[in-house]
Amino acid sequence: MNTVYIVDAVRTPFGRYGGALSGIRPDDLAAHVVKAVAERNDVEAPDEVILGNANGAGEENRNVARMAALLAGLPVTTPGVTVNRLCGSGMEAVIQAYRMIALGDASTVIAGGVESMTRAPWVLPKPDKAFPAGGQELVSTTLGWRLVNPRMPAEHTVPLGEGAELIADLHGVARAEQDAYALASHQKAAKASFEREIVPIGGLTRDEGIREDTGPDKLARLKPVFRQGGTVTAGNSSPLNDGAAALLLTDEAGLRGREPLARIVAGAASALEPRHFGLGPVEASRKALARAGRGFGDLASAELNEAFAAQVLGCLAELPDLDPAIVNPDGGAIALGHPLGASGARITGTLAHRLAAAGSGTGLASLCIGVGQGLALVLER
């Protein structure tokens, strides 16, 4: 098995829903990061481009990885494939690239993900019979369940926010605790520097969702969104976002004398009750660390994607050996944003850059996935 290295990782700043990146197509967002990581590492023709995308119903619908490779000016002989594991799609792309290189099926791969939640279209389902006389309903593809199979048990199809409420119930995570976590995410993100990974686009040079001016009082005034009398608000949840991320992965021969950021040691997926999707990182993290021959005590840093504060706090409650002090030291998705298909690549790249800056260490990147899954990667420097 070949050793697999992360040579570089780039991303766009993450834009707010309807914000600075709303006028940019998802295939152009993807092409921007693919081109940037290829050019700054002098890669003319990678063996493959693999991108994650959670929607696939809009302007990214014709295999956005292949479209991005062409738009980025890579040779027309460069293959591209798009993968979908919902919120974990960007990390799934990295894992597939890792496996491909480890097995010797490729030497150099660009892997990442993209999502424009602003530009996600409304879709019009085809009617059950021809020429209906009545009106037809458009369905938004921005987030969550749509066009649900009537055979699917109702307990599997609870809204994402209600799933976070269920985790808050399960672990007794109070509203004040969630708000405090969200506030810390914004405060850490406001102080962090992502210059080594961000490639500006559309006039945007930093993540648009970071709120330096938020505070306990502002967060406390927000009303619950998903349940009357609940605890999950817009302030302690990740927002809707636009953005893209890309990593350059290679084997020993592909390094060509370059110093890698980190190497990939192991990855793992897990699955659980869909309504408890937010706890997916728990088992995925345990499996990935076991495959790497490491434990939580070996970790120098961890990235745990912040879909909801209640979800992160629930995971930490079930992972008592994971030191909360090393988790998301530069803030997380509550502040930085969560463009679904890009987030897994973003946290992996951020972790790789952090390990490189430290000079050594073991890191864990993990995220929860809608419909009850988790994904994790272990990196080392």
Side-chain angles (χ1 to χ4, degrees), residues 9 11 29 67-68 84 97 122 153 186 195 197 200 203 226 242 275 277 313 333 339 353 362 378:
R11 67 179 179 92
L29 289 172
M67 297 301 103
N84 186 346
W122 291 282
H186 283 282
E195 289 184 7
E197 60 192 76
F226 303 100
D242 311 326
R275 66 182 180 274
F277 75 94
L313 293 167
H353 278 292
T362 301
V378 178

Side-chain angles (χ1 to χ4, degrees), residues 44-232:
E44 295 182 0
D47 297 311
E48 184 78 81
V49 174
I50 308 175
L51 295 182
N53 179 253
N55 196 316
E59 295 160 332
E60 72 280 78
N61 74 88
R62 293 291 291 170
N63 184 2
V64 71
R66 173 62 172 165
M67 297 301 103
L70 294 172
L71 290 166
L74 297 180
V76 296
T77 52
T78 304
V81 61
T82 303
V83 298
N84 186 346
R85 203 192 280 266
L86 297 181
C87 301
S89 299
M91 185 178 288
E92 177 68 24
V94 174
I95 290 175
Q96 291 199 20
Y98 156 65
R99 291 172 179 160
M100 183 178 287
I101 296 170
L103 291 171
D105 289 339
S107 175
T108 300
V109 178
I110 293 175
V114 63
E115 207 77 50
S116 175
M117 301 180 80
T118 298
R119 299 177 72 87
W122 291 282
V123 298
L124 181 65
K126 287 187 176 180
D128 293 332
K129 60 180 181 179
F131 313 118
Q136 298 294 304
E137 182 179 0
L138 289 168
V139 178
S140 173
T141 66
T142 301
L143 179 70
W145 290 93
R146 78 290 302 248
L147 307 178
V148 179
N149 190 320
R151 295 179 54 248
M152 188 68 71
E155 64 269 23
H156 289 350
T157 63
V158 299
L160 297 172
E162 175 58 20
E165 291 280 13
L166 291 173
I167 293 173
D169 293 342
L170 183 65
H171 286 286
V173 183
R175 164 72 183 271
E177 190 178 0
Q178 296 176 49
D179 286 353
Y181 184 91
L183 177 59
S185 183
H186 283 282
Q187 290 173 335
K188 289 186 287 187
K191 296 177 182 178
S193 172
F194 298 100
E195 289 184 7
R196 59 188 180 272
E197 60 192 76
I198 284 183
V199 284
I201 185 173
L204 194 61
T205 59
R206 71 191 297 265
D207 299 300
E208 201 173 11
I210 302 172
R211 297 182 183 275
E212 296 94 337
D213 60 345
T214 194
D217 292 341
K218 288 185 178 180
L219 289 168
R221 286 197 294 268
L222 296 174
K223 295 181 179 180
V225 176
F226 303 100
R227 181 195 292 180
Q228 189 167 357
T231 60
V232 179

Side-chain angles (χ1 to χ4, degrees), residues 185-354:
S185 183
H186 283 282
Q187 290 173 335
K188 289 186 287 187
K191 296 177 182 178
S193 172
F194 298 100
E195 289 184 7
R196 59 188 180 272
E197 60 192 76
I198 284 183
V199 284
I201 185 173
L204 194 61
T205 59
R206 71 191 297 265
D207 299 300
E208 201 173 11
I210 302 172
R211 297 182 183 275
E212 296 94 337
D213 60 345
T214 194
D217 292 341
K218 288 185 178 180
L219 289 168
R221 286 197 294 268
L222 296 174
K223 295 181 179 180
V225 176
F226 303 100
R227 181 195 292 180
Q228 189 167 357
T231 60
V232 179
T233 72
N236 57 41
S237 307
S238 62
L240 306 178
N241 296 96
D242 311 326
L247 291 80
L248 179 63
L249 280 68
T250 193
D251 55 15
E252 192 79 37
L255 285 177
R256 293 183 285 132
R258 293 174 296 202
E259 182 72 19
L261 301 177
R263 65 186 179 93
I264 298 178
V265 184
S270 67
L272 71 168
E273 284 285 341
R275 66 182 180 274
H276 291 149
F277 75 94
L279 299 176
V282 174
E283 185 59 25
S285 297
R286 290 172 178 156
K287 289 172 66 175
L289 285 168
R291 289 175 182 174
R294 302 288 185 271
F296 287 101
D298 297 313
L299 295 176
S301 186
E303 285 286 320
L304 177 53
N305 194 53
E306 299 171 355
F308 300 90
Q311 161 260 320
V312 176
L313 293 167
C315 288
L316 292 174
E318 296 199 11
L319 295 172
D321 295 331
L322 176 57
D323 182 1
I326 69 168
V327 177
N328 301 346
D330 296 317
I334 289 174
L336 302 175
H338 182 17
L340 306 180
S343 291
R346 197 282 296 174
I347 65 171
T348 304
T350 295
L351 179 63
H353 278 292
R354 186 179 303 126

